């Protein structure tokens, strides 16, 4: 697809609902018997995978605009699916449901697209097996398809080897079935939406560095009407577009600013970017209004350590922002990028370098130097939504490019182009 965005970006908008929270709202609403309404849901392809799987399990889910109405008979009445449960491109669907399905009284099979087939599953299979789950994966329990047989799930005391909210949440969702205590120790915090949202649906748990779930928590889940905050990971593309495009000033309403997700705001501030976060309120999850203005003369920065999980999905668009700094920026401690929808160290570096930017890959991240000498105008999302959107934002600097597999953006941000148009961007 030919993309050629031209700025400035001006005005205000609401970004689409948060992907991580929409998945969780659908999961918790489906477990609880009764009607739950999810407002402001994200209906991108990933969340639709989760919705369609619960439909296959016998939950009635209606969609009208961005409102999702879940009428569930409750998890005890889930019916055995006659087909493989298709998780599409969604790592969150695959891993979170791997946890939940372990305690159901029938067999299920989870499988997704080619990208899901390459992503590591041992990280969920291993702790779930420790909980007595009867789960197996292809290639010696390392990959999908995942086959899950009924089992009596036991408690676990688990120290997380990687900062991963998907692994943590898989354990918590299996743990909802457990007769014993589930304790998870997290040295580096990962996004905590499972912990913030479970109490809204009736399950109280201890949180912090040690997370403790009560036994048989699944019995306590009750319906809840959740209003999904805007996705900071989608807002990130608009924020960076405004920062790098002369004359831009945008206001984004009701963006989720959970402290486990707001690393990009910290980075923009460290780089000297003109950003304000105002009117913060607590709606179960913190939300705020974000104002961003064009900023010349951005400073280079080094990102590492505990900051990385707080911005892991924003690295592609942060890397583009860093190309506009007046010195070399460094991202390290980010090996996890290699196991996302694509190897994002490789895809970010290779695609931005094709557009003439100056990036080099390192074993655990990348270095981003200023300057640009365009090589080609043909780039590729490699089927990765965040790479596709980052490349579209790059056209504000480069002019027209041809992005192969641009449709992949529908995974998380189907209205991406419309949202830019709303802010006055011309195509
Ligand atoms: C997510 C967790 C993160 C993130 C993904 C969504 C979630 O993955 O990258 O986009 O909703 O739990 P990891 O758990 O693999 O870090």
């Amino acid at each position: 697809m030919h993309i050629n965005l031209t700025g400035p970006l001006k005005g205000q908008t609401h970004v689409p609902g948060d992907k991580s929270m929409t998945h969780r709202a659908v999961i918790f609403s489906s477990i609880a018997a009764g009607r739950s309404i999810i407002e402001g849901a994200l209906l991108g392809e990933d969340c639709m995978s989760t919705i369609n799987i619960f439909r296959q399990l016998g939950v009635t889910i209606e969609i009208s605009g961005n409102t999702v109405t879940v009428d569930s008979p409750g998890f005890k009445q889930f019916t055995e699916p006659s087909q493989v449960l298709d998780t599409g491109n969604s790592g969150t669907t695959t891993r979170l449901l791997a946890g939940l399905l372990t305690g159901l009284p029938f067999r299920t099979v989870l499988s997704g697209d080619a990208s899901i087939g390459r992503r590591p599953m041992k990280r969920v299979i291993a702790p779930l097996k420790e909980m007595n789950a009867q789960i197996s994966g292809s290639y010696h329990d390392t990959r999908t398809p995942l086959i899950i047989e009924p089992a009596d799930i036991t408690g676990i005391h688990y120290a997380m080897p990687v900062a991963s909210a998907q692994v943590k949440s898989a354990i918590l969702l299996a743990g909802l079935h457990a007769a014993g205590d589930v304790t998870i120790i997290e040295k580096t915090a990962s996004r905590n939406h499972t912990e913030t949202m479970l109490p809204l649906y009736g399950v109280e748990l201890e949180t912090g560095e040690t997370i403790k779930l009560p036994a048989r928590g699944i019995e306590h889940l009750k319906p809840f009407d959740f209003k999904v905050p805007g996705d900071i990971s989608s807002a990130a593309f608009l924020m960076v577009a405004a920062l790098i495009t002369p004359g831009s000033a945008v206001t984004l309403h009701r963006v989720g600013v959970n402290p486990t997700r707001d690393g990009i705001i910290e980075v923009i501030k460290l780089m000297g970017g003109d950003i304000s976060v105002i009117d913060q309120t607590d709606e179960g999850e913190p939300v705020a209004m974000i104002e961003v203005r064009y900023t010349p003369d951005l400073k280079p920065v080094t990102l590492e350590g505990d900051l990385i999980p707080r911005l892991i999905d924003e690295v592609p668009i942060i890397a583009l922002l860093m190309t506009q700094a007046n010195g070399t920026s460094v991202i390290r401690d980010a090996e996890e990028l290699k196991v996302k929808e694509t190897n994002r160290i490789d895809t970010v570096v290779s695609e931005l370098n094709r557009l003439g930017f100056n990036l080099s890959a390192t074993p655990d991240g990348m270095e981003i130097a200023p300057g640009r000498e365009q090589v080609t105008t043909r780039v590729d999302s490699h089927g990765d939504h965040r790479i596709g959107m980052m490349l579209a934002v790059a056209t504000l600097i480069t002019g027209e490019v041809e992005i192969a597999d641009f449709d992949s953006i529908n995974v998380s941000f189907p209205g991406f182009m419309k949202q830019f148009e709303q802010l006055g961007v011309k195509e």
Side-chain angles (χ1 to χ4, degrees):
M1 169 112 121
H2 283 285
I3 307 281
N4 185 13
L5 305 182
T6 47
L9 289 81
K10 278 190 163 301
Q12 32 189 311
T13 190
H14 282 86
V15 294
D18 187 89
K19 180 157 80 69
S20 293
M21 291 186 233
T22 301
H23 281 298
R24 285 157 176 83
V26 171
I27 294 171
F28 300 149
S29 301
S30 297
I31 296 173
R35 170 171 289 192
S36 299
I37 296 175
I38 308 166
E39 260 183 74
L42 174 70
L43 297 165
E45 288 169 3
D46 266 13
C47 295
M48 286 309 301
S49 296
T50 296
I51 287 174
N52 286 329
I53 287 176
F54 281 105
R55 285 175 168 158
Q56 276 177 269
L57 294 172
V59 180
T60 303
I61 305 182
E62 306 279 346
I63 299 172
S64 160
N66 293 321
T67 301
V68 176
T69 303
V70 180
D71 280 298
S72 176
F75 75 97
K76 285 186 182 153
Q77 311 299 323
F78 282 174
T79 48
E80 182 165 353
S82 55
Q83 292 191 329
V84 169
L85 302 174
D86 181 6
T87 64
N89 188 247
S90 176
T92 307
T93 310
T94 310
R95 296 199 179 109
L96 268 57
L97 293 192
L100 177 67
L101 297 172
T102 56
L104 297 184
F106 45 75
R107 172 189 232 221
T108 45
V109 181
L110 287 168
S111 189
D113 69 5
S115 158
I116 284 295
R118 287 188 293 269
R119 296 184 70 180
M121 292 298 152
K122 184 95 200 169
R123 51 178 62 195
V124 281
I125 293 175
L128 292 176
K129 280 192 163 170
E130 271 188 52
M131 303 173 82
N132 196 40
Q134 301 302 305
I135 180 170
S136 61
S138 297
Y139 303 100
H140 305 285
D141 285 344
T142 62
R143 295 285 185 270
T144 56
L146 304 178
I147 300 173
I148 300 163
E149 305 279 356
D152 288 327
I153 301 301
T154 61
I156 187 173
H157 183 85
Y158 194 69
M160 294 283 297
V162 281
S164 164
Q166 291 178 355
V167 174
K168 173 177 63 177
S169 303
I171 297 169
L172 289 172
L173 281 160
L176 285 175
H177 299 284
D181 281 349
V182 173
T183 312
I184 302 174
I185 297 148
E186 236 191 346
K187 264 186 265 118
T188 309
S190 62
R191 66 190 64 195
N192 65 359
H193 307 301
T194 302
E195 300 95 294
T196 57
M197 291 174 65
L198 266 175
L200 304 175
Y201 289 84
V203 180
E204 294 300 335
L205 68 172
E206 276 176 45
T207 56
E209 203 171 309
T210 301
I211 304 163
K212 257 195 183 161
L213 200 62
R216 292 290 299 164
I218 200 156
E219 306 277 359
H220 303 298
L221 272 141
K222 56 177 178 29
F224 181 75
D225 294 340
F226 186 69
K227 214 171 155 200
V228 185
D231 196 330
I232 192 166
S233 299
S234 298
F237 295 100
L238 299 167
M239 298 195 288
V240 169
L243 283 165
I244 64 175
T245 311
S248 298
V250 298
T251 301
L252 308 174
H253 295 285
R254 256 195 112 255
V255 181
V257 288
N258 181 312
T260 61
R261 294 281 300 283
D262 67 353
I264 184 159
I265 295 172
E266 195 165 320
V267 174
I268 292 172
K269 287 182 176 163
L270 287 170
M271 294 179 77
D274 187 344
I275 185 166
S276 343
V277 180
I278 43 191
D279 291 347
Q280 187 167 326
T281 54
D282 188 352
E283 303 184 14
E285 282 271 346
V287 298
M289 183 162 99
I290 300 181
E291 290 179 345
V292 190
R293 272 166 232 87
Y294 168 63
T295 313
D297 261 342
L298 291 164
K299 292 188 280 251
V301 282
T302 294
L303 309 184
E304 59 192 344
D306 292 358
L307 180 57
I308 299 297
R310 291 173 49 213
L311 49 70
I312 193 75
D313 289 345
E314 287 66 76
V315 167
I317 194 66
I318 288 174
L320 177 67
L321 181 66
M322 287 172 159
T323 66
Q324 302 305 292
N326 55 23
T328 299
S329 293
V330 179
I331 299 175
R332 59 169 77 108
D333 300 331
E335 299 94 330
E336 274 295 300
L337 291 173
K338 294 181 181 170
V339 292
K340 295 296 176 188
E341 285 82 334
T342 56
N343 175 337
R344 285 188 179 154
I345 295 180
D346 288 353
T347 48
V348 167
V349 170
S350 72
E351 297 313 302
L352 284 179
N353 282 350
R354 289 165 77 81
L355 294 176
F357 296 103
N358 259 313
L359 287 83
S360 31
T362 62
D364 65 348
M366 60 191 84
E367 290 181 4
I368 301 121
R372 191 170 85 86
E373 233 173 273
Q374 190 142 328
V375 183
T376 168
T377 55
R378 300 181 80 83
V379 284
D380 194 338
S381 79
H382 296 275
D384 184 334
H385 53 130
R386 299 201 198 280
I387 301 296
M389 292 187 280
M390 177 273 283
L391 291 168
V393 175
T395 67
L396 288 160
I397 304 166
T398 63
E400 180 166 328
V401 299
E402 168 74 23
I403 307 178
D405 212 350
F406 186 65
D407 283 352
S408 59
I409 68 163
N410 293 328
V411 158
S412 67
F413 202 162
F416 178 83
M417 292 301 268
K418 271 217 185 85
Q419 195 112 52
F420 274 83
E421 268 169 43
Q422 249 179 41
L423 294 170
V425 169
K426 301 199 176 44
E427 280 174 56

